[in-house]
Amino acid sequence: MTAFNLRAEVERLAALPSPPRDLALPVVEALLEALERGEVRAAEPRPGKGWTVHSWVKRGILLGFRVGVNTEVHVPPVFHFRDRDTFPARGAPPSDDVRVVPGGTTLRRGAFLGPGVVVMPPAFVNVGAYVGEGVMVDSHALVGSCAQIGSRVHLSAGAQIGGVLEPVGALPVIVEDDVLVGGGCGIFEGTLVRAGAVLGAGVVLTRAVTVVDLVRQSVHRAVRGMPLVIPERAVVVPGARPASGEFARAHGVFLQAPVIVKYRDDKTDVATALEGWLR
Ligand SMILES: CC(C)(COP(=O)(O)OP(=O)(O)OC[C@H]1O[C@@H](n2cnc3c(N)ncnc32)[C@H](O)[C@@H]1OP(=O)(O)O)[C@@H](O)C(=O)NCCC(=O)NCCS
């Protein structure tokens, strides 16, 4: 099935109030295979034109949930799961340089892993996620549904990259090439992190967050229909700003507001240098 036909079939079946399972299963299967091969993506970069979001991919995945039935899944000797039969776990890609280290990781069907990816356990890479070449997914990291992770990104321990399926969101989270996502960070609600940015440990980015740029003396926020965008090579650390209103002031209340303290320099490169032997 070509990508064009696949899209047409997904759109046709997803528009039905009760899509017939027997007709939908081969389409969902073809979609998952195309996603795993990286031929179809929930969003893709267009050189010089930013990102194009393919919302039909999300509709196709949701179609899989609609027509799937819950089934027992046993992975002897200890694992016992129950999930939609349309979205079983997938194995590691049959590529010599991809490593999925034993210990409780799940790669769900429809997830793409590029060459040289290392996944430390436990991690969860959800359906539709795209994990680019040479990415390190460290322990307790989540790569949410349809999230797009560029090449050579480091997702540190506990980093949470939100998905697009729930809560319902239109835009997948996008992390471009060469970004370092520090330990315990959270990137949610379609946030776009531009190439080379560094998120210090504990930074949380959502549509509601105001990011204060001390270098360029500006603020970054999500606006209607557009995600929060972190500029290229920005170094973002956790920060706070006073909550508005007299009461908040009287009680010394602050809201979290990530701060761009600098743009990446040699010192940052040293602080974020990664151990090549681990890859
Ligand atoms: C952001 C980071 C890379 C530091 O980058 P850097 O370029 O060396 O930053 P600098 O030391 O030049 O700091 C610039 C300013 O930001 C502040 N700053 C730096 N990191 C900060 C942090 N994490 N939280 C709060 N402030 C921070 C510094 O105090 C400094 O402020 P000042 O100019 O007022 O003194 C580092 O703090 C960090 O968070 N690394 C990720 C660690 C991690 O999660 N590792 C996981 C591996 S599994």
Side-chain angles (χ1 to χ4, degrees):
M1 208 180 287
T2 66
F4 177 78
N5 290 339
L6 182 57
R7 176 180 179 161
E9 279 299 285
V10 164
E11 302 275 27
R12 187 178 70 78
L13 288 160
L16 300 175
S18 302
R21 177 174 155 92
D22 57 334
L23 296 183
L25 283 183
V27 175
V28 170
E29 179 62 24
L31 173 62
L32 297 179
E33 280 178 8
L35 286 165
E36 286 173 15
R37 288 194 298 266
E39 291 167 7
V40 164
R41 294 176 61 169
E44 64 185 313
R46 301 255 183 226
K49 293 186 183 152
W51 285 81
T52 302
V53 175
H54 300 299
S55 46
W56 67 271
V57 171
K58 175 180 164 178
R59 285 197 288 281
I61 291 169
L62 289 174
L63 176 68
F65 281 94
R66 290 166 72 192
V67 301
V69 292
N70 291 350
T71 187
E72 302 285 337
V73 183
H74 297 277
V75 183
V78 285
F79 294 114
H80 181 199
F81 305 104
R82 187 171 177 82
D83 194 12
R84 292 284 202 280
D85 60 351
T86 34
F87 294 101
R90 59 160 294 180
S95 163
D96 281 349
D97 60 355
V98 171
R99 291 197 295 131
V100 179
V101 177
T105 288
T106 297
L107 311 174
R108 215 175 193 191
R109 286 271 351 242
F112 170 83
L113 270 73
V117 167
V118 178
V119 184
M120 299 301 291
F124 187 76
V125 184
N126 207 345
V127 57
Y130 182 99
V131 182
E133 186 168 350
V135 170
M136 167 68 89
V137 181
D138 214 332
S139 296
H140 290 276
L142 163 71
V143 187
S145 52
C146 297
Q148 304 292 301
I149 310 297
S151 299
R152 300 168 301 279
V153 167
H154 185 103
L155 298 180
S156 301
Q160 306 291 295
I161 311 297
V164 77
L165 296 180
E166 210 170 41
V168 175
L171 299 173
V173 171
I174 296 172
V175 179
E176 293 186 345
D177 296 348
D178 300 299
V179 168
L180 180 121
V181 180
C185 285
I187 311 177
F188 305 109
E189 296 186 313
T191 297
L192 168 56
V193 182
R194 294 275 190 208
V198 174
L199 306 186
V203 167
V204 177
L205 303 172
T206 72
R207 288 189 66 80
V209 157
T210 301
V211 178
V212 183
D213 187 334
L214 297 184
V215 181
R216 298 179 180 166
Q217 303 197 347
S218 58
V219 294
H220 303 271
R221 288 204 69 149
V223 290
R224 206 181 152 86
M226 297 292 290
L228 171 65
V229 179
I230 300 300
E232 268 186 31
R233 302 177 65 80
V235 176
V236 190
V237 302
R241 65 184 169 90
S244 51
E246 201 52 49
F247 184 81
R249 251 192 308 281
H251 287 79
V253 175
F254 286 73
L255 300 176
Q256 74 111 353
V259 178
I260 297 176
V261 284
K262 62 195 280 191
Y263 283 76
R264 199 170 176 139
D265 60 15
D266 292 348
K267 184 168 177 296
T268 319
D269 290 342
V270 170
T272 58
L274 302 173
E275 183 52 78
W277 291 111
L278 296 177
R279 281 162 182 80

